[in-house]
């Protein structure tokens, strides 16, 4: 059974599973495990690791439209060093500070592979925004830009760790999520890539999407790692790599201006919500369900 | 740097760290990572693993005197199987049901070693009970009995997995913690063993303890794995092995009857709180700070 099948199984077993975060009374709760082999390329600093691991969980809180309250991390390494531990905690604390959450520590453990499990807790001021509320003719939007993490991976491979680490530390979209909360009909984060996110939203909302490739906001860094003449390559990285932790949301057209006024983060319209039978298309052709499943 | 030094470092860095759980507004939050090599002996079922991992975090909620609201787990294995995953989730759900919490799922991840990170969230109805409030002449008490996990480990080693698994699935002391919440002056769980727990309470409360060995409640199963004539061995296992997830609390003598009336779990008096300079003693001799540091 692969990770997607296992997740689907869980989602059938647990009422609260299947969205970016579980809802418990007025709280949202989400947990993620990241580890060296799959999530922290060679060159990732401990500061970046702390930031990114906690940020990934905060992104799930943002995707529910909640305020961020607190985060904890369980930190496991083969050997503790003071510098590493302090750097990790600083990264975790700094990303929490950025979004008004409190980093309240966690657990330490010895482990053969550097492994971090983070949990974030948010409070709902509005009703939560799930993946299941999109309706035909609404707009499908994305916050910020896509492709940062895809570009970062290239920079790690090229040995430009400083640039890669900068790109790896993203701002969780808590403020944008709050701006969208009262107006979006469906929302999730783009951690599995835009293509997979649209497929997941489409399945949960029983709808299709028609998006246009030239409306996809691609991060400048993607151009630095692809052939400048190769639009296809840049688009591919921006739509399928994932781990960008932007928000993908559906919004009635009449609400778009209000959303944009309420947040400093750019909100780009990618296209429209269509009927389920029209499928998920980009420039009129099927957009395959490809991307990373990060759980 | 070993795990204790690293924990001490964190406790200095983070205001909210250093107790069984962090306090965030009216919530308590705690996270733990467990993995196969150190926490799940050969023969541990996935059902027991789910129960125990989530139970360990719920025990930290109990130690703060809070109600248990919800728990999540990040579950990582080399290969997902339907039966294992469902058994784990059932164990996690059952221990939550037992204490009125909701198991709301979590994350899945591929990992070379079976690794589980759990987070539990509780709500404070009373002021939290920290480790730091004990005063001289109060009573020091423990809930339930000690030595279950020490005995379980023996049964695992002897190949009696059924008995071992039974012992490994403990009841988190949420109800007892609630009964103690309004009356205890200091509290923690005994996950690192009674001896270490007393040292940690003593340090946080700036006090000593004088306990008597014949008042320590030892689980019947300990007798089944030790020489029946060897009281020392049984006592050693009960006081230093840990992982029993009972509550160790200090209570004014005048409150003891009220505590006992408020909970169905036996509350045993081990001795009294003394001055810091009197140290931590059992039967008048120093009780060493020995045990497991589980982080």
């Amino acid at each position: 059974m692969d990770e997607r099948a296992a997740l689907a199984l869980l989602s059938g077993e647990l009422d609260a599973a299947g969205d970016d975060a579980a809802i418990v009374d007025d709280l949202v709760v989400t947990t993620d495990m990241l580890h060296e082999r799959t999530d922290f390329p060679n060159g990732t600093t401990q500061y970046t690791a702390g930031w990114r691991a906690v940020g990934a969980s905060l992104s799930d809180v943002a995707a529910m439209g909640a305020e961020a309250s607190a985060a904890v991390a369980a930190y496991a390494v083969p050997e503790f060093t003071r510098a590493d531990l302090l750097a990790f905690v600083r990264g975790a604390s700094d990303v929490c500070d950025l979004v008004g959450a409190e980093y309240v520590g966690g657990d330490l453990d010895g482990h053969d592979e550097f492994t971090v499990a983070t949990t974030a807790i948010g409070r709902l001021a509005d009703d939560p925004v799930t993946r299941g509320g999109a309706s035909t003719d609404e707009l499908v939007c994305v916050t910020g830009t896509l492709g940062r993490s895809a570009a970062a991976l290239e920079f790690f491979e090229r040995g430009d760790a400083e640039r890669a680490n900068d790109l790896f530390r993203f701002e969780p979209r808590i403020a944008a999520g709050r701006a969208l909360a009262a107006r979006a009909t469906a929302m999730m984060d783009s951690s599995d890539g835009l293509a997979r996110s649209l497929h997941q939203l489409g399945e949960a909302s029983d709808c299709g999407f028609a998006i246009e490739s030239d409306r996809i906001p691609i991060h400048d860094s993607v151009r630095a790692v692809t052939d400048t003449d190769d639009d296809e390559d840049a688009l591919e990285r921006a739509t399928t790599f994932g781990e960008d932790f932007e928000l993908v949301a559906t919004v009635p057209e009449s609400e778009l201006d209000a959303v944009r006024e309420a947040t400093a983060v750019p909100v780009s319209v990618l296209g429209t919500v269509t009927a389920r039978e029209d499928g998920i298309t980009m420039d009129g052709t099927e957009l395959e369900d490809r991307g990373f499943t990060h759980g």
Side-chain angles (χ1 to χ4, degrees), chain A residues 151 218-232 234:
Chain A
I218 299 178
H219 193 274
D220 291 341
S221 61
V222 178
R223 285 289 174 204
V225 298
T226 52
D227 186 325
T228 46
D229 292 330
D230 190 351
D231 284 347
E232 279 301 312

Side-chain angles (χ1 to χ4, degrees), chain A residues 144-155 158 163-164 167 216-244 246:
Chain A
T145 57
L146 300 172
R148 277 175 77 113
S149 288
L153 208 70
E154 279 286 335
F155 286 120
R158 293 178 186 185
R163 199 158 172 188
L167 288 168
I216 295 174
I218 299 178
H219 193 274
D220 291 341
S221 61
V222 178
R223 285 289 174 204
V225 298
T226 52
D227 186 325
T228 46
D229 292 330
D230 190 351
D231 284 347
E232 279 301 312
D233 185 13
L235 192 64
E236 172 73 14
R237 290 176 199 243
T239 53
T240 66
F241 185 83
E243 298 217 321
D244 282 318
E246 297 292 349

Side-chain angles (χ1 to χ4, degrees), chain A residues 21-273:
Chain A
I23 301 163
V24 184
D25 305 325
D26 64 331
L27 303 176
V28 298
V29 187
T30 176
T31 195
D32 300 276
M33 189 183 285
L34 303 180
H35 54 112
E36 187 156 13
R37 188 167 47 82
T38 54
D39 301 291
F40 301 119
N42 195 10
T44 310
T45 65
Q46 290 286 305
Y47 177 78
T48 296
W51 179 295
R52 189 166 175 85
V54 169
S57 289
L58 292 169
S59 176
D60 286 328
V61 168
M64 304 301 288
E67 291 165 9
S69 298
V72 292
Y75 174 92
V77 282
E79 183 81 36
F80 296 105
T81 75
R82 182 184 164 85
D84 280 355
L85 186 55
L86 287 179
F88 180 89
V89 167
R90 264 199 310 275
S93 298
D94 284 354
V95 72
C96 282
D97 285 350
L98 193 65
V99 298
E102 198 180 345
Y103 181 65
V104 294
D107 190 27
L108 299 175
D109 196 19
H111 207 301
D112 291 340
E113 185 184 356
F114 174 45
T115 301
V116 184
T118 54
T119 302
I121 298 165
R123 268 186 211 269
L124 290 163
D126 301 280
D127 287 338
V129 188
T130 65
R131 298 179 180 180
S135 299
T136 311
D137 295 332
E138 291 172 346
L139 304 176
V140 56
C141 308
V142 67
T143 59
T145 57
L146 300 172
R148 277 175 77 113
S149 288
L153 208 70
E154 279 286 335
F155 286 120
F156 277 122
E157 281 170 12
R158 293 178 186 185
D160 188 349
E162 190 176 343
R163 199 158 172 188
N165 275 285
D166 280 350
L167 288 168
F168 242 32
R169 292 190 303 272
F170 61 93
E171 180 181 339
R173 297 303 190 195
I174 296 290
R178 297 284 308 121
L180 282 156
R183 300 172 182 99
T185 54
M187 186 154 67
M188 66 181 294
D189 80 359
S190 68
S191 56
D192 294 343
L194 177 63
R196 176 144 298 160
S197 299
L198 291 176
H199 278 270
Q200 289 177 306
L201 280 178
E203 190 177 339
S205 289
D206 194 32
C207 69
F209 294 101
I211 68 165
E212 292 163 42
S213 61
D214 60 5
R215 301 175 86 172
I216 295 174
I218 299 178
H219 193 274
D220 291 341
S221 61
V222 178
R223 285 289 174 204
V225 298
T226 52
D227 186 325
T228 46
D229 292 330
D230 190 351
D231 284 347
E232 279 301 312
D233 185 13
L235 192 64
E236 172 73 14
R237 290 176 199 243
T239 53
T240 66
F241 185 83
E243 298 217 321
D244 282 318
F245 304 102
E246 297 292 349
L247 300 179
V248 183
T250 55
V251 178
E253 193 163 2
S254 59
E255 300 283 355
L256 182 64
D257 288 347
V259 166
R260 285 179 164 161
E261 272 163 36
T263 176
V265 177
V267 175
S268 302
V269 175
L270 305 177
T272 56
V273 182

